[in-house]
Amino acid sequence: MTEMATFSTDRDTVRFTGSLSLAKIGDLPERLRAFDGEIARVDLSDIERIDTVGAWLIHRFAAEHDAAVVGLDRDGQHLLAQVASADQPVAMRPAQVGSLIRVVGEIGAAVEQTGRTLYGLLGFLGATLIAFWHVATHPKRFRFNAVVQRFEVVGVSALAIVGLMSFLIGIVIAQQGAVQLRQFGAEFLTINLVGRITLRELGVLMTAIMVAGRSGSAFAAQIGTMKLTEEVDAMRTIGVSPMEALVLPRVLATVIMMPLLGMYASIVAIIGGGLLCWISLDIPPVTFVQRLREVVPITDLYVGLVKAPVFGLIIAVAGCFQGMLVEGDAEQVGTRTTAAVVQAIFLVIVLDAFFAVFFTSIGWV
């Protein structure tokens, strides 16, 4: 039977016997605090067992009397070393840091986080392409119903809000353009402004921003909730790939629907601009359409159709990527959903600037 922990003194050595564990330690802490002799060594060769509580008592006792601890086996020495390394003063308040150092530190942390996020996005994009290749080479694994359902969520359900937004944007562009061009007696150039800017830039760009806020956030929240409820882990357990079942249908639906939504938004914006030109500038619809055919090159349409699927890919990948990163609690769902929207909109705008330079360089101006 394990004995209670005791100690005895022999000249400059204190010897411990019994079990230095929480269950058998008894009143040993009080007796050690009452000990006031001078010692050089603490001998633990006769103890039966030692746990973290016992190691802490021995460490504190040896440190108070500046004594060496001997007689422990390898495991006991490791435990005592771990307890000694944890005996550090705790700062109740963080040390004061200068404003410049704090700002530089925050900038550095933001840059580091941005680099890690971009690296993760590239890796997730690669995993999505691999999943697409697996499905393409094994068509029976393609989830047609899931893709069609995403068509409805991403495209059909968004027609009303995208149409209203585009119609109002077309009216605003025409109104502001007419006000400025009236100073030079060139109100008719409002048609050029409405036609080119909606087909080439704003139609697709504003649609991408709307889809990012509407569908990208939904992707992150849906997948994040499935992560919290361990549905994603359950899918892996039964042999279903989350990339093929959850990510790929959303990516395909967004990539396919974005050109259609972008074209739809551009047409509605042109209708809004044409309506204002008819009412405010007395330009009849026939003249408006004829002028559009003269001044808007077909390359503007090509620009929008090229950019739209790329924007859709970025939005879907960002949303699904952030959803897959959710872990811990429900607060993570909100955090990751916000991050998905912000990252998608930021990347869309960056890519739009890149496309603007690229198409100008190849002569599509």
Side-chain angles (χ1 to χ4, degrees):
M1 184 175 179
T2 305
E3 297 181 359
M4 297 291 292
T6 60
F7 72 93
S8 59
T9 59
D10 182 11
R11 297 183 181 177
D12 60 350
T13 302
V14 174
R15 290 185 173 85
F16 286 82
T17 58
S19 174
L20 289 173
S21 62
L22 180 61
K24 297 291 183 178
I25 211 163
D27 62 345
L28 183 62
E30 289 77 12
R31 289 188 288 136
L32 288 177
R33 280 195 292 268
F35 183 84
D36 59 356
E38 294 185 1
I39 58 173
R41 295 192 308 165
V42 175
D43 189 357
L44 302 179
S45 57
D46 295 331
I47 65 172
E48 300 177 10
R49 184 174 178 272
I50 185 171
D51 63 5
T52 306
V53 175
W56 168 249
L57 286 176
I58 295 301
H59 165 71
R60 187 177 62 181
F61 179 72
E64 290 175 352
H65 294 83
D66 196 20
V69 179
V70 297
L72 279 175
D73 56 15
R74 180 176 299 178
D75 292 339
Q77 292 175 0
H78 177 72
L79 177 61
L80 190 65
Q82 293 297 315
V83 170
S85 64
D87 185 15
Q88 301 292 336
V90 178
M92 298 304 294
R93 294 183 178 179
Q96 293 293 330
V97 180
S99 300
L100 178 61
I101 296 177
R102 185 174 65 254
V103 171
V104 172
E106 291 178 356
I107 294 174
V111 171
E112 180 185 7
Q113 182 63 33
T114 302
R116 290 181 178 178
T117 301
L118 290 178
Y119 180 78
L121 276 173
L122 287 175
F124 193 80
L125 176 61
T128 304
L129 295 177
I130 292 173
F132 177 77
W133 173 255
H134 287 167
V135 171
T137 53
H138 301 83
K140 291 183 179 180
R141 297 164 65 173
F142 180 67
R143 297 174 178 267
F144 180 76
N145 291 337
V147 176
V148 172
Q149 197 270 341
R150 291 299 133 191
F151 281 163
E152 180 181 359
V153 173
V154 176
V156 178
S157 300
L159 288 176
I161 185 64
V162 171
L164 177 61
M165 176 196 68
S166 301
F167 184 78
L168 295 176
I169 287 177
I171 291 176
V172 170
I173 293 174
Q175 193 272 334
Q176 292 296 315
V179 169
Q180 298 302 320
L181 292 171
R182 186 176 290 119
Q183 303 177 33
F184 309 99
E187 295 97 327
F188 66 94
L189 292 180
T190 304
I191 304 174
N192 303 46
L193 178 65
V194 172
R196 300 210 63 183
I197 199 171
T198 53
L199 278 175
R200 189 181 183 93
E201 289 292 338
L202 284 186
V204 175
L205 182 61
M206 296 306 296
T207 301
I209 293 175
M210 181 63 67
V211 171
R214 186 178 178 279
S215 300
S217 60
F219 293 167
Q222 291 163 359
I223 297 178
T225 303
M226 295 180 71
K227 283 274 290 183
L228 285 184
T229 56
E230 299 182 354
E231 293 178 60
V232 175
D233 296 333
M235 294 175 66
R236 291 194 179 99
T237 302
I238 64 177
V240 177
S241 171
M243 295 298 298
E244 296 179 10
L246 300 177
V247 176
L248 196 58
R250 288 169 168 82
V251 172
L252 287 176
T254 310
V255 170
I256 295 172
M257 292 306 298
M258 269 299 299
L260 301 177
L261 282 174
M263 188 66 185
Y264 164 75
S266 299
I267 293 173
V268 174
I270 290 174
I271 292 174
L275 182 62
L276 186 129
C277 289
W278 187 15
I279 296 173
S280 179
L281 304 179
D282 294 326
I283 300 176
V286 175
T287 305
F288 183 86
V289 174
Q290 184 179 0
R291 179 67 179 174
L292 278 179
R293 295 178 60 185
E294 294 174 357
V295 301
V296 178
I298 193 64
T299 53
D300 284 358
L301 177 62
Y302 295 158
V303 168
L305 293 178
V306 169
K307 292 193 295 186
V310 179
F311 291 169
L313 177 65
I314 292 299
I315 292 167
V317 168
C320 296
F321 171 67
Q322 291 296 331
M324 284 293 187
L325 291 181
V326 170
E327 56 184 16
D329 52 23
E331 184 179 358
Q332 279 280 306
V333 177
T335 302
R336 294 298 179 181
T337 300
T338 303
V341 176
V342 172
Q343 288 175 8
I345 294 176
F346 173 77
L347 291 175
V348 162
I349 294 175
V350 170
L351 285 175
D352 187 64
F354 167 78
F355 277 126
V357 175
F358 172 74
F359 288 128
T360 301
S361 66
I362 64 176
W364 287 9
V365 294

